Structure formats: structure tokens, C-alpha cells
Amino acid sequence: MTSIGPELLAESLQLVLYTVVAGALTVGGVLVEQASLQHLGSGEAMIAAWLAVLGGVMLYAGAYGIGYQKVLSQYV
């Protein structure tokens, strides 16, 4: 039976952590964008705009910043 080296274990845990954070930011961004559309429909344009910007930043950070640059770059 072979044991997992500490370097492999540390890198695997880091990859799992990045994947979880990227997923949480992306899902959170989608939910914030949905809340933005609900506020826009109810006539609260300023809150809707603020939530739209916040959701866009969360989606960018989750999908591109962490998901693409950190997670996918380790697979290639």
C-alpha cells in the first residue's frame, strides 16, 4: 500500500477548496442577480442596479477569477 505524499495531499486540498469557493461565489452571484431582477420588477431601480453590479462581480470572481484561472489552470 502506498501512502499519499504531503505535497500531493496539500495540493489536492487546495484544489478542492478553490473549487468550493468558486462554486459558492458563482451560485451566490446568480442568486444576487435574481434578487436584482426582482427589485427591478418592484420598481426599486437603485437597489436593483447595486445588486446587479454586486452579482456581476461575484460571477466574475467565481467563474473566471477562481474557477478558470486557479482550478482549470491546474488541469492543463
Side-chain angles (χ1 to χ4, degrees), residues 28-64:
V30 168
L31 293 175
V32 170
E33 290 289 338
Q34 180 182 8
S36 169
L37 290 175
Q38 289 176 351
H39 281 282
L40 186 63
S42 69
E44 299 172 336
M46 185 60 91
I47 295 173
W50 174 251
L51 288 174
V53 169
L54 181 63
V57 168
M58 288 176 72
L59 285 170
Y60 177 80
Y64 180 74

Side-chain angles (χ1 to χ4, degrees), residues 18-19 21-23 25-26 56-74:
Y18 279 142
T19 303
V21 170
L25 279 172
T26 303
V57 168
M58 288 176 72
L59 285 170
Y60 177 80
Y64 180 74
I66 296 175
Y68 179 72
Q69 288 186 343
K70 294 281 188 183
V71 175
L72 287 180
S73 68
Q74 292 187 5

Side-chain angles (χ1 to χ4, degrees), residues 5-29:
E7 298 88 16
L8 182 60
L9 182 62
E11 190 143 344
S12 297
L13 287 175
Q14 181 182 14
L15 184 63
V16 167
L17 180 66
Y18 279 142
T19 303
V20 168
V21 170
L25 279 172
T26 303
V27 169

